[in-house]
Amino acid sequence: MYDLKAIIDRNNTGAAKTDKEFIKKLLDLNYYDDTISMWVADMDFACAPEIIEALHKRVDRQIFGYTTQTEEYKKSIIDWYNRRHNMKIEEDWLVFSNGTVSAIRNCLRALTNEGDGVIIQSPVYYPFKREILETNRVAVDNILIRDENNHYTIDFKDFEEKCKDPNTKMFIYCNPHNPIGQIWPKEDTQRLLDICAENNVIVFSDEIHCDLIREGESFTSALNLKHQDTLIVATAVNKTFNVAGFHITNLVIENSEIRKKLNDYTGSISISPYALETTITAYNKGEEWVNAVNKVLDENLDYMDKFIKEKLPRIKFVKPQGTYLVWLDFSDYPEKGQELLEKIADEAHLILESGSMFGDAGKDFIRMNIACPLSVVKDALERLYKVFG
Ligand SMILES: Cc1ncc(COP(=O)(O)O)c(C=O)c1O
């Protein structure tokens, strides 16, 4: 029913993923006419046709004035998270934000002070640290422990010590975790929540990849566990439905004091008519599309697993449990860091991201986004094989 094989030309749309100058400036990599871009975390699949149709209808209404978060809007979010994740969200707990990263920045500013410590678990989505530093807070790194099979675990002893430091005020959790692709077991999440609650540390649980998980895997939101008092959960239409350009994030905050502090800081953030229509349609009618996307991601990863084992065994690869991001261990190759990325960009004509962007702990890795048609994944792997096989 959904065409997830089509290759859609994103050039000249301002898409960050394929914008030559932007890529040069941000990543210092060359983008050629036949380059395949597999870096920033958005998908190359056409948006759900249900959403496109709703947006067409909205455009036909011709007026795009101030828009409110209607009952239908809130209900669509509540119903989705109840249906898909058994989360019991109350209407009052929803706080709209223009994106997840800006929500993090606002929470840092509203709920902590300059100089306060904020825990992250690297290697992790790099804007977490950037936002902490840019708001003059201190990034406190509870580095993940990696075993010889590239399976990561949480260093709880170190986490607890860091939480006990009276300067520590917030923890930014990533579950499913970008870039390593692991879904944290609910026992781990509970333990982290317990430690944070004991030490009065606010938890910002970024769960925006939670709808994009592999067949057979399950995800438990922090909201379904004990100690909600210090919890902020980020959900995002952005990620699930590939509409990041519309900036639609909804925070779930049960604690009214935290909500008030955040709202006092941001003032009212208004939603665009596109965000309203997209959210309602996505959550009410987009389920089959998400299921279809997850199926393609499963197929892409199965293909990749086999290909790498057979043809590129020096690259170590663990199938992610969640996200559409692949964390490739290139430690067996002599090229490192930017030199490696340049080789990939100039010889394989692929734009990938250096693991070191996600913290020193990621320096031997490369992140690859496989949310694209299988034919593109195949082409990209053949290109890697030509250079590294
Ligand atoms: C874990 C995580 N959080 C936040 C974001 C950014 O979200 P937004 O576009 O809503 O700011 C991303 C994007 O890749 C992400 O992977």
Side-chain angles (χ1 to χ4, degrees):
M1 179 183 172
Y2 299 106
D3 181 4
L4 301 174
K5 291 195 172 129
I7 296 174
I8 297 169
D9 180 10
R10 299 181 65 177
N11 287 306
N12 304 316
T13 61
K17 203 173 193 173
T18 55
D19 191 287
K20 204 176 184 161
E21 267 102 60
F22 186 72
I23 289 169
K24 186 73 194 162
K25 203 164 141 209
L26 193 79
L27 305 174
D28 199 15
L29 296 175
N30 298 320
Y31 185 91
Y32 304 93
D33 285 348
D34 65 345
T35 287
I36 304 177
S37 216
M38 303 176 92
W39 67 289
V40 66
D42 67 23
M43 308 197 247
D44 290 328
F45 304 122
C47 190
E50 293 83 355
I51 296 176
I52 309 265
E53 192 190 332
L55 289 174
H56 275 299
K57 279 192 185 149
R58 185 67 189 81
V59 169
D60 287 343
R61 298 293 293 269
Q62 302 179 78
I63 296 175
F64 307 102
Y66 301 114
T67 303
T68 63
Q69 294 164 52
T70 60
E71 285 301 309
E72 193 186 11
Y73 172 86
K74 290 180 191 158
K75 189 170 176 322
S76 70
I77 303 165
I78 292 169
D79 287 352
W80 175 272
Y81 285 96
N82 187 22
R83 210 164 57 238
R84 302 262 312 184
H85 301 290
N86 196 28
M87 289 158 73
K88 310 292 175 208
I89 300 171
E90 292 184 17
E91 213 179 284
D92 291 350
W93 302 354
L94 291 173
V95 179
F96 176 76
S97 171
N98 291 312
T100 314
V101 173
S102 60
I104 290 173
R105 181 174 283 236
N106 287 334
C107 284
L108 286 166
R109 287 220 164 110
L111 307 170
T112 69
N113 294 310
E114 291 201 0
D116 284 351
V118 181
I119 301 180
I120 53 169
Q121 295 175 314
S122 78
V124 73
Y125 180 59
Y126 50 82
F128 288 3
K129 184 169 178 185
R130 185 193 66 208
E131 296 305 314
I132 294 168
L133 299 183
E134 285 184 7
T135 54
N136 299 323
R137 275 66 178 166
V138 179
V140 179
D141 201 351
N142 170 233
I143 301 171
L144 296 173
I145 301 169
R146 174 165 64 95
D147 70 15
E148 65 283 5
N149 299 317
N150 285 340
H151 179 80
Y152 290 84
T153 47
I154 292 167
D155 185 344
F156 281 101
K157 189 167 170 283
D158 178 72
F159 184 82
E160 185 155 19
E161 272 164 25
K162 287 179 166 145
C163 271
K164 281 199 164 128
D165 180 338
N167 198 51
T168 302
K169 296 289 163 30
M170 194 186 280
F171 162 45
I172 308 177
Y173 188 40
C174 195
N175 188 25
H177 191 109
N178 170 5
I180 65 168
Q182 284 183 213
I183 300 174
W184 297 113
K186 64 173 185 247
E187 295 74 18
D188 284 10
T189 307
Q190 183 63 73
R191 212 168 146 191
L192 294 168
L193 289 171
D194 287 347
I195 296 170
C196 287
E198 272 158 28
N199 295 287
N200 230 353
V201 171
I202 294 170
V203 181
F204 185 103
S205 184
D206 178 334
E207 302 181 359
I208 74 170
H209 288 270
C210 71
D211 290 309
L212 300 163
I213 64 173
R214 308 285 49 82
E215 167 100 48
E217 299 291 347
S218 67
F219 165 82
T220 304
S221 167
L223 195 80
N224 287 1
L225 301 171
K226 273 190 283 129
H227 294 301
Q228 305 312 326
D229 243 21
T230 49
L231 181 63
I232 298 165
V233 171
T235 73
V237 184
N238 291 347
K239 200 56 63 187
T240 306
F241 292 94
N242 200 30
V243 291
F246 287 164
H247 301 290
I248 320 168
T249 291
N250 281 286
L251 303 179
V252 181
I253 312 176
E254 191 176 342
N255 182 323
S256 58
E257 256 175 69
I258 294 184
R259 242 171 21 230
K260 183 172 180 327
K261 275 192 193 158
L262 181 60
N263 286 330
D264 286 351
Y265 175 77
T266 59
S268 76
I269 300 178
S270 143
I271 186 168
S272 82
Y274 300 125
L276 185 87
E277 293 300 336
T278 300
T279 304
I280 294 170
T281 311
Y283 284 149
N284 288 344
K285 297 185 181 164
E287 198 140 4
E288 276 183 43
W289 183 86
V290 176
N291 293 342
V293 164
N294 272 317
K295 208 156 169 283
V296 174
L297 298 178
D298 282 332
E299 285 162 8
N300 287 0
L301 287 165
D302 286 345
Y303 182 88
M304 189 161 184
D305 194 29
K306 202 157 165 275
F307 188 100
I308 289 185
K309 278 195 185 115
E310 277 170 17
K311 295 179 127 182
L312 287 164
R314 288 175 69 191
I315 301 176
K316 285 178 234 110
F317 157 66
V318 182
K319 262 205 230 177
Q321 296 171 294
T323 80
Y324 44 73
L325 304 162
V326 169
W327 192 229
L328 298 172
D329 180 349
F330 268 74
S331 54
D332 209 26
Y333 289 91
E335 299 86 354
K336 303 283 168 213
Q338 186 64 11
E339 190 196 351
L340 177 61
L341 268 294
E342 282 173 13
K343 186 178 165 97
I344 294 172
D346 291 331
E347 294 180 29
H349 289 198
L350 293 177
I351 303 290
L352 308 182
E353 263 174 302
S354 162
S356 53
M357 289 178 83
F358 302 84
D360 281 350
K363 69 177 177 5
D364 286 330
F365 288 77
I366 277 182
R367 194 186 79 163
M368 183 173 187
N369 173 351
I370 54 90
C372 54
L374 179 59
S375 62
V376 178
V377 172
K378 286 184 179 174
D379 188 352
L381 288 171
E382 289 298 341
R383 291 175 187 215
L384 281 180
Y385 178 60
K386 276 206 187 111
V387 180
F388 296 99

